[in-house]
Amino acid sequence: QVQLVESGGGLVQAGGSLRLSCAASGSIFSINAMGWYRQAPRKQRELVATITSSGSTNYADSVKGRFTISRDSAKNTAYLQMNNLEPEDTGVYYCTAAARPDYGSAYFRYWGQGTQVTVSS
């Protein structure tokens, strides 16, 4: 089984910055893409950013130029640097990873428990 644990959320004023971390642990043979999603109150979960094993990145239009996703494959950890935060960025941020728990197994998608980000105006 693969576990994802997020950290780094909190309360910040508009214009501030936060850095989220997502550490994967457990039975891991390999990890392909990792990413971040978020869910605001009364809204559906939405994609924020993804990064492949080769380092290719993809961002939601709303965060381009403000957020940067990165990963340390040796540590099975992904990061989300969030700058110039806006109140609209408030929500629970979830880490996700496509991982193979064993050699020869298929890739499965795993989710973390989420970390709250609150941006005050």
Side-chain angles (χ1 to χ4, degrees), residues 33-51:
M34 299 185 75
W36 292 91
Y37 283 69
R38 67 186 180 190
Q39 187 166 18
R42 298 174 298 281
K43 291 188 177 181
Q44 290 188 334
R45 191 175 296 189
E46 63 177 1
L47 170 71
V48 177
T50 60
I51 184 168

Side-chain angles (χ1 to χ4, degrees), residues 83-97:
N83 298 328
N84 194 21
L85 283 159
E86 302 170 352
E88 292 74 22
D89 296 317
T90 294
V92 179
Y93 282 68
Y94 297 92
C95 175
T96 183

Side-chain angles (χ1 to χ4, degrees), residues 47-63:
L47 170 71
V48 177
T50 60
I51 184 168
T52 67
S53 56
S54 62
S56 296
T57 58
N58 180 54
Y59 296 93
D61 288 341
S62 59
V63 306

Side-chain angles (χ1 to χ4, degrees), residues 27-30 100-106:
S27 176
I28 301 172
F29 179 75
S30 66
R100 282 199 291 174
D102 301 296
Y103 173 78
S105 72

